[in-house]
Amino acid sequence: MELGDTDSDSLPFGEGVSGRGGDSNEGGNDDDDLYYIPERRASLDLGQEPSPGDGARWWCQPAVLSYTSMGSDEERNREQSKEDQDESRVLLESNGSFSSDYSFNSDCEKTTRKIGSKAHPVCGHPKKPPLLSDFTEPPHPSVTFAFTFQAIRETLEKMPAGHLRHFKETLWRSYPQSLIASPQSMDLLDLVDRILGSFNIQGSLQIVKNLLEEMGQEQLVLNLQELCVQNEVRFELRQNLKCKYRDVQEDSATQGEKKLFHDIFTDLHMTKGLDNGPNIQHEYRNIEKLDSNYKPEPTISSKDIFGSNWIEAKCLKALLMTGMAGTGKSMAVQKFILDWAEERSHQHISFLFPLPFRELNAFQGSQISMLHLLNQLYPETKKLKDICAVGGHVLFVLDGLDEYTQELDFQYTEIWCDFKEATSFNVLLVNFLRGNLFFSGLLWVTSRPLRSKCMPSEGVHQVAEVRGFTDDQKVEYFKRRFTDPAHAGRVIDYVNSCKTLRIMCHLPLFCSVLSQLWERRFTGQRGDLPQSITPIYTQLLLALLSKRRFRAPARSASEERNFLVGLGKTAWHALEKGQVKISEAHRKAGIGGAMDEAVVNSGLCTEFTVKQFVMYSETVHCFIHSTVQEYMAALYVFLEFRNQGMSVFKESSKRKQTGDLKNSKPVYSSALERTLLCEDGRFNLFLRFLFGMASKSNVELLKHYIGSTENWPSVVKDTDALIKKKMSAKLPNHPETRALLQSCLDEPTAEN
């Protein structure tokens, strides 16, 4: 069919809708009858090409001729020349665009222009549309499709219904060819989707901004700009946190190659509330469970912490997480931070600011505001107009409250509520923990049990405790830590071969120490299984002592040795009486404040509350595990003999022998006899540790606390002969005793 020919069903050119017999202008409002919408046609058969008159044809064509362009070539040339001269009219080109003289509704039905109408507000040439920039530079990496959609939606939904209708009209007048159909009938989501489908991301943001400015909606323009700034800051913050927390933070002194945290992390055993007390499992002893003021509560996973349901259901704003040294509190924090930074979970939290006390302690003694502190630690926050007014949740994580060395006086410290004004850091911290400085923010504090008790009850809405690893989690940790399944299997078998090691691996720190020992063996092609457990406990001791530098001033080797002797003496006196709880009398038996130092700074001991009576409770201390108490008692006996030449088994003589190693036999012989005579087994592991102190690898680890190792092989030889002699004799409880003596024999002679 040639252009201009018609069939029996089509309208003559130029007749418009009046040719359909409708009353075009009679008895009606011209504005109301501006458009005639034909009756919806039946659905097309997808296998049949639509006819030229079918509305679906218009949707599929890349461009449509307008009434003007359907005239002669001369008319089309004049019109094209006019459009070229009008430089102020800039329209975005888009595949599938249509002439401004026709439009389609959401059902793809053609809206036909009515001839002779007095007004043509939509199809007429618009006023000068806002110019679009030539985006030669790529957008900021944070400007994604998802963010742009959300930002435009949040901005437009703040407009009243009348203003939104006006926005749609202005948008349609300005960009009809790109939008294809009038957006007036669209809901907000469809409108934003149409804008992003018609323009690129940068163009969509600028168009919305320009139209809002044209409408005089300056506040919405500022809101949209602030959303973009917040998005950039959030992106940069996530990038920085990923770089900072993606690697495993090893706690031991020996650092190996870096490993990705997510490749190794295993979920931890955490409970709501407080269980208050150490793990009481033991290879030889039956330890009575320690009563506390709290009943065990259900376990929680890392995904539950500050989950959206948790926050809303409990109105949770402040979480206090406690746990003994080495149980994995910082691991739980690192897992949470990295998940948020990598957008794995907790995306309902808009901003997350870790504030570890290893960094916060640098501000002690200074005058500083909370805003300036955040700007110092996270420079990207300087772009934010008002961090207190950002949308969504803002979470602050204060990891390691026990590392703060100053007193926290929540009763008499002045109230401070100004986020932007400077005050002393101590006042700032106390009021931040009170919840006075960021009323809408969320707060997560981790601490060892002693320091956590200073937190005001009104500032804590939920308490949780990290207990370390369960048996399944231990296995999972080693499988992740060793990528070679054969290596992982050997380590797991080694741990399971010794009940004491299997129990102690409930501490992630102990697992880390053990893993590094095995990694060095595998790297050095030394694949034999070590039989001595004493050096592993010594590594744990050194790892905990290394953490002390974050809580107290450094001390000399002699001061450290005196501390170990004092703490070991306390452990020995309690062990002699078969007690795990360290009473005030036992504390006085030690040297100075060794127990207080062990609780507050070194982490070798912990403090908890026991319920003696209904209305009375008592605060007591104990070692983080009973085997650590037995190890410290053995270390005390060893150091006293090695450095002072004295035997704790014959304190009355106190004969100083200037470290004469030839006299070591009486010390080990006395310890062996004491152990074999004790029926409850409380000295069994102590004896193994004492013999293990003489092993070559252990002596090397303790070299800062002992003198010369001259004639040291003779000590190993003497202990070896002593045990073999005892094993050849007739022993009571033969199987158990022989197994104990064999383990003692393996300690000093094992190659480590």
Side-chain angles (χ1 to χ4, degrees), residues 625-644:
H625 193 262
S626 56
T627 58
V628 176
Q629 176 187 354
E630 292 152 346
Y631 168 85
M632 290 303 302
L635 180 63
Y636 162 66
V637 173
F638 176 74
L639 291 179
E640 281 293 272
F641 162 71
R642 182 62 191 85
N643 296 330
Q644 303 297 329

Side-chain angles (χ1 to χ4, degrees), residues 603-653:
L604 288 162
C605 299
T606 187
E607 178 183 282
F608 61 99
T609 304
V610 295
K611 184 170 58 177
Q612 301 286 8
F613 307 103
V614 176
M615 299 297 294
Y616 174 75
S617 60
E618 178 187 4
T619 299
V620 297
H621 300 84
C622 72
F623 287 85
I624 58 175
H625 193 262
S626 56
T627 58
V628 176
Q629 176 187 354
E630 292 152 346
Y631 168 85
M632 290 303 302
L635 180 63
Y636 162 66
V637 173
F638 176 74
L639 291 179
E640 281 293 272
F641 162 71
R642 182 62 191 85
N643 296 330
Q644 303 297 329
M646 294 188 300
S647 171
V648 300
F649 302 102
K650 299 179 180 179
E651 287 188 343
S652 57
S653 63

Side-chain angles (χ1 to χ4, degrees), residues 168-357:
K168 293 178 181 178
E169 293 171 359
T170 307
L171 179 66
W172 175 236
R173 287 199 309 268
S174 301
Y175 306 102
Q177 286 185 336
S178 297
L179 293 174
I180 301 173
S182 172
Q184 200 59 251
S185 62
M186 299 179 184
D187 62 16
L188 184 57
L189 294 180
D190 288 339
L191 173 63
V192 178
D193 188 62
R194 177 58 60 86
I195 294 174
L196 285 171
S198 303
F199 312 103
N200 60 28
I201 293 176
Q202 292 169 288
S204 298
L205 288 171
Q206 184 179 346
I207 285 172
V208 173
K209 174 178 174 293
N210 291 344
L211 293 181
L212 291 176
E213 288 177 342
E214 181 182 334
M215 294 172 60
Q217 299 290 331
E218 289 81 6
Q219 186 58 50
L220 291 182
V221 173
L222 294 177
N223 291 344
L224 181 59
Q225 291 174 338
E226 186 61 21
L227 286 176
C228 293
V229 172
Q230 291 178 17
N231 188 53
E232 290 184 14
V233 172
R234 186 183 301 108
F235 177 85
E236 294 170 5
L237 177 62
R238 281 191 168 120
Q239 294 300 112
N240 292 338
L241 293 180
K242 280 191 283 187
C243 293
K244 184 176 180 180
Y245 290 94
R246 67 185 174 187
D247 296 326
V248 175
Q249 307 293 328
E250 295 287 4
D251 290 313
S252 63
T254 304
Q255 298 292 332
E257 61 176 324
K258 291 185 177 180
K259 299 179 181 295
L260 294 179
F261 180 83
H262 273 309
D263 291 344
I264 296 178
F265 176 81
T266 307
D267 210 355
L268 295 160
H269 179 209
M270 296 180 287
T271 61
K272 295 181 181 179
L274 293 175
D275 190 23
N276 263 358
N279 186 315
I280 60 173
Q281 292 177 295
H282 198 279
E283 183 173 358
Y284 300 106
R285 303 167 63 184
N286 292 321
I287 301 175
E288 183 180 356
K289 180 169 176 58
L290 305 171
D291 293 331
S292 70
N293 286 332
Y294 306 95
K295 295 181 180 179
E297 296 193 35
T299 59
I300 58 175
S301 69
S302 57
K303 294 181 180 180
D304 295 328
I305 300 173
F306 284 107
S308 56
N309 294 334
W310 205 20
I311 295 174
E312 296 172 1
K314 293 180 172 290
C315 297
L316 178 63
K317 290 188 61 178
L319 168 66
L320 174 62
M321 178 174 285
T322 68
M324 294 184 299
T327 52
K329 299 182 295 297
S330 294
M331 284 180 62
V333 168
Q334 187 174 354
K335 161 70 172 174
F336 188 98
I337 294 172
L338 205 53
D339 279 350
W340 182 85
E342 296 180 350
E343 302 184 58
R344 294 171 181 254
S345 63
H346 297 92
Q347 295 311 296
H348 56 283
I349 295 177
S350 297
F351 291 94
L352 190 156
F353 297 108
L355 302 175
F357 275 89

Side-chain angles (χ1 to χ4, degrees), residues 417-681:
C417 301
D418 198 320
F419 190 83
K420 299 179 180 179
E421 287 296 323
T423 185
S424 69
F425 179 74
N426 189 270
V427 172
L428 192 76
L429 179 59
V430 169
N431 282 276
F432 190 60
L433 294 174
R434 284 171 173 167
N436 292 341
L437 285 173
F438 205 105
F439 296 103
S440 60
L442 304 174
L443 181 62
W444 180 6
V445 181
T446 70
S447 176
R448 292 177 183 173
L450 179 63
R451 179 63 103 168
S452 67
K453 294 181 179 180
C454 72
M455 286 286 291
S457 58
E458 64 273 13
V460 178
H461 304 129
Q462 179 67 57
V463 179
E465 182 177 17
V466 183
R467 305 285 294 169
F469 286 151
T470 62
D471 289 340
D472 292 339
Q473 290 167 348
K474 300 171 194 175
V475 174
E476 182 66 21
Y477 173 84
F478 289 120
K479 287 182 177 180
R480 287 174 171 267
R481 182 64 183 256
F482 296 93
T483 55
D484 187 337
H487 289 173
R490 296 191 69 180
V491 175
I492 293 171
D493 290 341
Y494 168 69
V495 171
N496 289 332
S497 68
C498 177
K499 186 175 181 180
T500 295
L501 292 181
R502 187 168 67 250
I503 293 171
M504 280 301 293
C505 279
H506 79 281
L507 293 176
L509 177 58
F510 192 88
C511 292
S512 176
V513 168
L514 189 62
S515 297
Q516 290 182 67
L517 170 67
W518 274 98
E519 284 170 346
R520 290 194 295 270
R521 284 181 168 272
F522 290 139
T523 303
Q525 304 302 319
R526 297 178 59 195
D528 54 316
L529 294 175
Q531 300 299 316
S532 178
I533 66 171
T534 307
I536 303 176
Y537 273 77
T538 302
Q539 289 273 21
L540 176 66
L541 170 68
L542 297 178
L544 289 171
L545 291 178
S546 69
K547 290 173 170 287
R548 183 187 181 279
R549 68 183 185 274
F550 301 115
R551 298 170 174 82
R555 55 192 176 192
S556 64
S558 61
E559 291 174 331
E560 193 97 288
R561 181 172 59 248
N562 292 337
F563 160 70
L564 294 177
V565 169
L567 185 62
K569 187 176 181 180
T570 302
W572 168 249
H573 283 287
L575 183 62
E576 279 193 306
K577 297 181 179 180
Q579 296 180 341
V580 174
K581 296 183 291 185
I582 307 298
S583 65
E584 187 64 26
H586 296 149
R587 295 177 62 185
K588 291 180 180 179
I591 298 177
M595 179 57 67
D596 294 333
E597 160 69 19
V599 172
V600 177
N601 296 325
S602 301
L604 288 162
C605 299
T606 187
E607 178 183 282
F608 61 99
T609 304
V610 295
K611 184 170 58 177
Q612 301 286 8
F613 307 103
V614 176
M615 299 297 294
Y616 174 75
S617 60
E618 178 187 4
T619 299
V620 297
H621 300 84
C622 72
F623 287 85
I624 58 175
H625 193 262
S626 56
T627 58
V628 176
Q629 176 187 354
E630 292 152 346
Y631 168 85
M632 290 303 302
L635 180 63
Y636 162 66
V637 173
F638 176 74
L639 291 179
E640 281 293 272
F641 162 71
R642 182 62 191 85
N643 296 330
Q644 303 297 329
M646 294 188 300
S647 171
V648 300
F649 302 102
K650 299 179 180 179
E651 287 188 343
S652 57
S653 63
K654 296 191 180 294
R655 182 169 56 91
K656 188 167 184 177
Q657 300 173 4
T658 64
D660 187 359
L661 297 176
K662 294 182 180 180
N663 296 304
S664 62
K665 189 176 294 186
V667 174
Y668 285 93
S669 178
S670 299
L672 182 57
E673 293 297 332
R674 176 74 66 90
T675 302
L676 294 179
L677 292 174
C678 183
E679 297 182 356
D680 62 5

